Short mmCIF file of all heavy atoms in Angstrom, two decimals:
data_model
loop_
_atom_site.label_atom_id
_atom_site.label_comp_id
_atom_site.label_asym_id
_atom_site.label_seq_id
_atom_site.Cartn_x
_atom_site.Cartn_y
_atom_site.Cartn_z
N MET A 94 -18.17 22.12 -3.39
CA MET A 94 -17.57 21.19 -4.34
C MET A 94 -18.65 20.47 -5.14
O MET A 94 -18.58 20.38 -6.37
CB MET A 94 -16.68 20.18 -3.60
CG MET A 94 -15.45 20.79 -2.95
SD MET A 94 -14.63 19.65 -1.82
CE MET A 94 -14.09 18.37 -2.92
N CYS A 95 -19.64 19.94 -4.44
CA CYS A 95 -20.70 19.16 -5.10
C CYS A 95 -21.55 20.02 -6.02
O CYS A 95 -22.06 19.53 -7.04
CB CYS A 95 -21.56 18.45 -4.06
SG CYS A 95 -20.70 17.09 -3.25
N SER A 96 -21.70 21.28 -5.69
CA SER A 96 -22.52 22.16 -6.54
C SER A 96 -21.90 22.37 -7.91
O SER A 96 -22.58 22.74 -8.85
CB SER A 96 -22.75 23.51 -5.85
OG SER A 96 -21.57 24.29 -5.85
N LYS A 97 -20.61 22.10 -8.05
CA LYS A 97 -19.92 22.27 -9.33
C LYS A 97 -20.00 21.01 -10.19
O LYS A 97 -19.67 21.03 -11.37
CB LYS A 97 -18.44 22.59 -9.11
CG LYS A 97 -18.16 23.78 -8.22
CD LYS A 97 -18.81 25.05 -8.70
CE LYS A 97 -18.49 26.24 -7.88
NZ LYS A 97 -19.13 26.34 -6.61
N VAL A 98 -20.44 19.89 -9.63
CA VAL A 98 -20.43 18.61 -10.34
C VAL A 98 -21.24 18.65 -11.65
O VAL A 98 -20.72 18.24 -12.69
CB VAL A 98 -20.88 17.45 -9.43
CG1 VAL A 98 -21.12 16.17 -10.23
CG2 VAL A 98 -19.83 17.21 -8.35
N PRO A 99 -22.49 19.12 -11.68
CA PRO A 99 -23.21 19.13 -12.96
C PRO A 99 -22.50 19.97 -14.03
O PRO A 99 -22.36 19.54 -15.17
CB PRO A 99 -24.57 19.72 -12.60
CG PRO A 99 -24.72 19.48 -11.14
CD PRO A 99 -23.33 19.58 -10.57
N PHE A 100 -22.03 21.14 -13.64
CA PHE A 100 -21.34 22.05 -14.54
C PHE A 100 -20.05 21.41 -15.08
O PHE A 100 -19.83 21.35 -16.30
CB PHE A 100 -21.04 23.34 -13.74
CG PHE A 100 -20.19 24.35 -14.43
CD1 PHE A 100 -20.65 25.02 -15.55
CD2 PHE A 100 -18.95 24.67 -13.92
CE1 PHE A 100 -19.86 25.99 -16.16
CE2 PHE A 100 -18.15 25.63 -14.53
CZ PHE A 100 -18.61 26.29 -15.65
N LEU A 101 -19.22 20.91 -14.18
CA LEU A 101 -17.95 20.31 -14.59
C LEU A 101 -18.17 18.97 -15.30
O LEU A 101 -17.54 18.70 -16.33
CB LEU A 101 -17.05 20.10 -13.36
CG LEU A 101 -16.59 21.38 -12.67
CD1 LEU A 101 -15.95 21.07 -11.32
CD2 LEU A 101 -15.63 22.15 -13.55
N GLY A 102 -19.06 18.15 -14.76
CA GLY A 102 -19.32 16.84 -15.36
C GLY A 102 -19.81 16.96 -16.79
O GLY A 102 -19.36 16.20 -17.67
N ASN A 103 -20.71 17.90 -17.05
CA ASN A 103 -21.21 18.09 -18.41
C ASN A 103 -20.11 18.53 -19.36
O ASN A 103 -20.02 18.06 -20.50
CB ASN A 103 -22.38 19.07 -18.44
CG ASN A 103 -23.65 18.44 -17.92
OD1 ASN A 103 -23.92 17.27 -18.15
ND2 ASN A 103 -24.44 19.21 -17.21
N ALA A 104 -19.27 19.44 -18.93
CA ALA A 104 -18.16 19.90 -19.77
C ALA A 104 -17.18 18.76 -20.04
O ALA A 104 -16.71 18.59 -21.18
CB ALA A 104 -17.44 21.07 -19.11
N ILE A 105 -16.88 17.97 -19.03
CA ILE A 105 -15.95 16.84 -19.19
C ILE A 105 -16.54 15.80 -20.13
O ILE A 105 -15.85 15.27 -21.01
CB ILE A 105 -15.59 16.24 -17.81
CG1 ILE A 105 -14.73 17.24 -17.02
CG2 ILE A 105 -14.87 14.90 -17.96
CD1 ILE A 105 -14.61 16.95 -15.53
N MET A 106 -17.85 15.51 -19.98
CA MET A 106 -18.49 14.55 -20.89
C MET A 106 -18.42 15.04 -22.34
O MET A 106 -18.07 14.27 -23.24
CB MET A 106 -19.95 14.32 -20.50
CG MET A 106 -20.13 13.43 -19.30
SD MET A 106 -21.85 12.91 -19.04
CE MET A 106 -22.74 14.44 -19.00
N LYS A 107 -18.74 16.30 -22.57
CA LYS A 107 -18.71 16.83 -23.94
C LYS A 107 -17.28 16.80 -24.50
O LYS A 107 -17.08 16.45 -25.66
CB LYS A 107 -19.26 18.25 -23.97
CG LYS A 107 -20.76 18.31 -23.82
CD LYS A 107 -21.27 19.74 -23.81
CE LYS A 107 -22.79 19.73 -23.56
NZ LYS A 107 -23.31 21.10 -23.38
N ALA A 108 -16.31 17.19 -23.70
CA ALA A 108 -14.92 17.24 -24.17
C ALA A 108 -14.36 15.86 -24.50
O ALA A 108 -13.49 15.73 -25.35
CB ALA A 108 -14.04 17.93 -23.12
N THR A 109 -14.85 14.83 -23.82
CA THR A 109 -14.33 13.48 -24.02
C THR A 109 -15.23 12.61 -24.89
O THR A 109 -14.91 11.46 -25.16
CB THR A 109 -14.14 12.77 -22.66
OG1 THR A 109 -15.39 12.70 -21.98
CG2 THR A 109 -13.11 13.49 -21.81
#
Side-chain angles (χ1 to χ4, degrees):
M94 294 168 64
C95 289
S96 72
K97 306 303 183 286
V98 169
F100 173 67
L101 295 168
N103 285 323
I105 292 165
M106 284 191 306
K107 286 178 184 173
T109 60

